[in-house]
Amino acid sequence: MLRVNLRGLYALRTAARAIEAGDFSTRASLLHGSPPEVRETTLAFNHMADHVSRLVDALEREHDALLVEKERLRVTIESIGDAVVVTDADGLIEFMNPRAEELTGFQSVEAEGRRVSDVLPLFNEQSGAAVTNLLDQALQGNAVVGLDSHTVIRRQDGVTIAISDTAAPIRASDGRVLGGVLVFQDESERRRLMQHLAWQAERDHLTGLLNRRAMEGKLAAALHSVQHEARHFIFCYIDLDRFKLVNDTCGHRAGDALLQRLTALMARRAESENHYLARLGGDEFGLLFVDTTLPQALEHIQGLRDEIGRFRFEWDDKVFRLEVSLGVTELHPGMTDIGEILAQADTACYHAKSMGGSAIQVYEKTHPALLKINTEMQWVGAIAKAFEAHRFILYRQQKVALSTDSMMPHYEILLRLRGEDGAIIAPGEFLPAAERYGLAPSFDRWVIRNFFAYLDTHPGDEACYALNLSGRSLGDPATAEFILDEIDQYHFDPARISFEVTETAAIDSLDACERLILMLRERGIQFALDDFGKGQSSFGYLKRLPVSHLKIDGDFVRGMDHDREKFAIVKAMHTLAHELGLQTIAEQVETEAELDCLKKMGVDFVQGYLLHRPAPLPVG
């Protein structure tokens, strides 16, 4: 038995060696002439060898597949546009792709074994403070972490690159952290674009100054500082006088050039002292003084006014000199919002404009003129309520013909407001507020719409009527279309209609006024120039406006019977009008002596309380 076992062991060892050596001929010979136990053992080893061989083949195939996958992953990481950094579980760099090498300034072999913060130093681009490395946070928290949007790389060569960054841990199947991966992109171009868009969003495209929205943001921040930090801020509202004159005489290109040159002058003074200058719209600007007392701001404002006064604008052999009105208010903790700041400065500026001569007005609650303007502001809400309650009424006043040429009666349509107590309120109470706060076009359209409807329902009324148009309606290109559309809805002769426009409004919107008159004249509608003599350069602009009537301002008519200067002015206006083929209307005639003077002078029409007091339109 022992001998057999020894032989079996010898055979087993020989078979094992054959298996190890792959000597299959020896293996086969062992199966013959061996004891049964040796043959059984040899067969078991043969089976094992086959299993090992298949296992080795499978492992080799899996190893090859892993090599292919690893190479594919390497090529992918190296070819993508994002920068990729791979670390071990301790946060030490194992690999960087070429894009990461380009952005960090390190080669992958140089970075290997170093901490990410050494290769990728991050800072906040606004504060300059160092930013904690994301990968350390991801590894410690075992979670994906994103970067703040204002982060930059500051490389060893001094180059700063804006980036966006994401870091994530690499986990085993059991959740253990094996390493980390950091992916980041160069955001410099996109961030520059976003900054440019943000700059554009708060800038006026023509002048490059802050726009109204940006200034409102500055005012909101200033008011917060005043209320919580006891800082000093002064706001100045700036309105250029007679800017429209340049636009109307030389065109919008000239107006744009004027604004660009003038605002460059204003901006130099503002920026030198770290204040904020904004274009609020058209020819209106706002200047916010930071950490400045009222006396300091006024000294600066006076200097600005004087510099604008010395400014000369030349265009096509024409030279223009501008004036400016300035309204000033001091921010204080009691202010509720930026609307109050703007309203106070605007109110003060409005009063400064009424004083003329490049005046400066500081807002004071108890100032009589400013109290009057505040009263006008209160009318805005009252006007809105009156429209809703249908409390506006159309009146008419006759214009009496002094010659026998005109047999048809002539009237001017006037507007009245019935108060909540039923009393009739004259237009002098509410129309200034409407003009100032942009409500006049609403009145114009209401009057046109309602009066045209009256004419259509009163065919027996064959009189000629004059309606007033505000300056804002003159400057609105849609006004003519609105009037013509309203006429087309009814059945009356448009030639019975005329419009009166003030001389000042006509000059301020000269081009628009001329276009409007020419369009409506095609339908037989005539125009009169109202308040003639109040404006400037009247005679020069009169030739451009195709009006049919000239209405002499009542300030010259009143007292002309005993004031030789007024008499001479009225006579000169009347003579000029007739020389140009225009008819004249004298308004506010209140005495027989005034009427007698006008009759002898040959004025065509007279209007005033002496002849006819305004009355409501006939109902029946």
Side-chain angles (χ1 to χ4, degrees):
M1 186 68 176
L2 181 60
R3 289 194 300 271
V4 172
N5 286 341
L6 288 174
R7 286 198 302 271
L9 289 173
Y10 173 78
L12 185 60
R13 186 177 64 183
T14 303
R17 288 175 177 171
I19 291 171
E20 290 175 359
D23 188 352
F24 296 106
S25 60
T26 305
R27 230 189 321 176
S29 66
L30 289 173
L31 296 176
H32 299 284
S34 300
E37 60 270 27
V38 172
R39 285 197 299 272
E40 290 175 4
T41 301
T42 301
L43 287 172
F45 265 92
N46 281 337
H47 179 71
M48 184 192 309
D50 291 340
H51 178 71
V52 168
S53 177
R54 287 194 299 273
L55 181 61
V56 168
D57 290 342
L59 288 173
E60 287 179 347
R61 286 194 301 272
E62 187 174 346
H63 179 260
D64 291 342
L66 286 173
L67 288 176
V68 170
E69 187 63 28
K70 181 180 179 181
E71 181 64 15
R72 183 182 294 122
L73 182 60
R74 184 187 67 80
V75 172
T76 300
I77 291 176
E78 290 186 352
S79 62
I80 63 175
D82 293 344
V84 180
V85 177
V86 180
T87 73
D88 61 15
D90 295 323
L92 301 179
I93 295 175
E94 292 184 336
F95 169 79
M96 294 199 318
N97 73 344
R99 183 59 173 157
E101 293 177 333
E102 179 185 343
L103 293 181
T104 62
F106 283 86
Q107 296 296 312
S108 185
V109 292
E110 295 177 295
E112 191 173 339
R114 303 180 67 167
R115 301 206 69 82
V116 172
S117 57
D118 297 334
V119 176
L120 196 72
L122 302 178
F123 297 86
N124 185 288
E125 67 177 338
Q126 295 178 334
S127 67
V131 176
T132 304
N133 190 275
L134 278 191
L135 197 55
D136 292 340
Q137 298 179 39
L139 293 176
Q140 291 169 10
N142 194 15
V144 177
V145 182
L147 196 61
D148 181 77
S149 59
H150 298 290
T151 305
V152 297
I153 305 171
R154 192 176 296 165
R155 300 193 327 190
Q156 288 181 323
D157 58 5
V159 174
T160 298
I161 302 173
I163 65 165
S164 61
D165 193 353
T166 305
I170 301 173
R171 305 185 186 93
S173 58
D174 60 1
R176 288 180 300 110
V177 175
L178 303 177
V181 59
L182 185 71
V183 181
F184 55 99
Q185 302 86 25
D186 183 354
E187 290 278 291
S188 302
E189 185 62 31
R190 190 186 72 86
R191 205 167 292 177
R192 274 194 296 271
L193 177 61
M194 295 301 294
Q195 289 171 348
H196 180 66
L197 291 174
W199 184 89
Q200 284 187 321
E202 63 176 20
R203 294 285 167 170
D204 173 62
H205 73 280
L206 177 64
T207 63
L209 299 178
L210 295 175
N211 57 23
R212 187 182 188 94
R213 178 183 176 187
M215 176 55 80
E216 289 176 349
K218 300 291 185 188
L219 287 173
L223 184 56
H224 182 271
S225 295
V226 167
Q227 293 170 337
H228 297 88
E229 302 171 25
R231 295 173 66 187
H232 296 283
F233 293 86
I234 307 295
F235 182 67
C236 177
Y237 200 100
I238 304 168
D239 189 357
L240 300 181
D241 297 333
R242 290 292 172 180
F243 166 70
K244 289 184 178 179
L245 193 60
V246 178
N247 263 346
D248 290 342
T249 56
C250 299
H252 291 287
R253 283 182 58 246
D256 290 349
L258 167 61
L259 286 178
Q260 289 169 337
R261 294 179 199 174
L262 190 59
T263 53
L265 179 152
M266 297 165 63
R268 283 195 299 270
R269 293 186 62 91
E271 291 170 0
S272 65
E273 301 186 28
N274 198 31
H275 304 313
Y276 297 108
L277 178 66
R279 185 184 181 199
L280 304 180
D283 55 358
E284 298 173 345
F285 300 85
L287 179 55
L288 177 63
F289 292 90
V290 180
D291 294 325
T292 308
T293 63
L294 182 58
Q296 291 171 333
L298 287 175
E299 184 179 352
H300 180 104
I301 291 167
Q302 289 165 359
L304 178 62
R305 177 195 61 185
D306 295 342
E307 193 160 355
I308 293 174
R310 292 189 294 269
F311 175 77
R312 298 292 182 272
F313 178 69
E314 297 182 12
W315 190 272
D316 290 342
D317 299 327
K318 295 182 179 67
V319 180
F320 297 89
R321 175 180 174 273
L322 293 181
E323 293 185 344
V324 62
S325 300
L326 305 108
V328 184
T329 189
E330 184 173 11
L331 277 65
H332 58 81
M335 288 178 162
T336 56
D337 54 33
I338 63 171
E340 186 176 355
I341 301 170
L342 290 167
Q344 288 187 4
D346 186 28
T347 298
C349 184
Y350 183 74
H351 180 57
K353 199 176 188 72
S354 68
M355 292 188 291
S358 290
I360 300 170
Q361 176 66 53
V362 178
Y363 181 82
E364 301 172 21
K365 279 188 176 181
T366 57
H367 193 291
L370 300 184
L371 285 173
K372 179 182 177 184
I373 295 171
N374 283 332
T375 302
E376 290 179 355
M377 294 174 67
Q378 294 173 10
W379 267 111
V380 174
I383 288 170
K385 290 181 180 179
F387 268 121
E388 293 175 0
H390 307 287
R391 289 192 279 110
F392 286 103
I393 312 166
L394 291 179
Y395 271 51
R396 69 179 183 179
Q397 184 180 33
Q398 189 173 6
K399 294 186 288 188
V400 178
L402 296 182
S403 67
T404 56
D405 296 338
S406 179
M407 303 301 294
M408 192 176 292
H410 289 71
Y411 292 92
E412 178 182 359
I413 292 297
L414 304 172
L415 189 63
R416 296 291 185 269
L417 169 62
R418 181 181 289 110
E420 293 181 352
D421 59 355
I424 299 299
I425 301 172
E429 296 289 322
F430 59 87
L431 280 184
E435 288 278 2
R436 173 162 168 72
Y437 295 102
L439 302 177
S442 299
F443 282 107
D444 294 342
R445 295 194 173 209
W446 186 91
V447 170
I448 291 168
R449 189 179 292 115
N450 284 273
F451 178 67
F452 285 5
Y454 163 82
L455 285 183
D456 193 61
T457 56
H458 292 76
D461 186 344
E462 297 181 350
C464 293
Y465 285 93
L467 290 75
N468 291 279
L469 276 182
S470 66
R472 287 182 182 264
S473 290
L474 282 180
D476 184 356
T479 299
E481 184 179 354
F482 168 77
I483 294 171
L484 294 173
D485 286 345
E486 288 295 318
I487 288 173
D488 290 339
Q489 294 185 40
Y490 301 109
H491 303 87
F492 62 84
D493 183 5
R496 294 169 53 200
I497 300 299
S498 65
F499 287 98
E500 295 184 3
V501 296
T502 66
E503 177 193 16
T504 302
I507 291 174
D508 285 344
S509 304
L510 191 59
D511 290 339
C513 184
E514 186 177 15
R515 286 193 296 269
L516 177 69
I517 293 174
L518 292 174
M519 287 182 67
L520 297 185
R521 275 183 59 179
E522 294 180 1
R523 300 293 294 271
I525 297 172
Q526 296 183 335
F527 276 76
L529 198 60
D530 197 3
D531 295 341
F532 188 75
K534 263 192 174 181
Q536 301 175 10
S537 305
S538 304
F539 301 112
Y541 289 103
L542 190 57
K543 295 177 66 175
R544 271 196 65 181
L545 296 172
V547 297
S548 58
H549 292 76
L550 188 151
K551 199 167 187 179
I552 302 170
D553 186 69
D555 286 345
F556 300 111
V557 174
R558 286 195 305 272
M560 62 174 290
D561 57 302
H562 58 267
D563 188 323
R564 295 182 61 183
E565 185 176 319
K566 287 186 176 182
F567 182 90
I569 291 173
V570 173
K571 185 175 183 179
M573 292 178 184
H574 170 69
T575 302
L576 173 66
H578 275 204
E579 287 290 333
L580 295 174
L582 310 179
Q583 290 191 313
T584 51
I585 307 168
E587 63 180 359
Q588 298 182 25
V589 180
E590 297 178 355
T591 68
E592 290 288 350
E594 292 166 358
L595 178 60
D596 188 55
C597 286
L598 295 168
K599 284 180 178 179
K600 292 177 180 178
M601 196 176 290
V603 170
D604 300 287
F605 292 89
V606 290
Q607 179 180 358
Y609 277 25
L610 174 68
L611 303 154
H612 182 243
R613 299 185 72 86
L617 280 175
V619 178

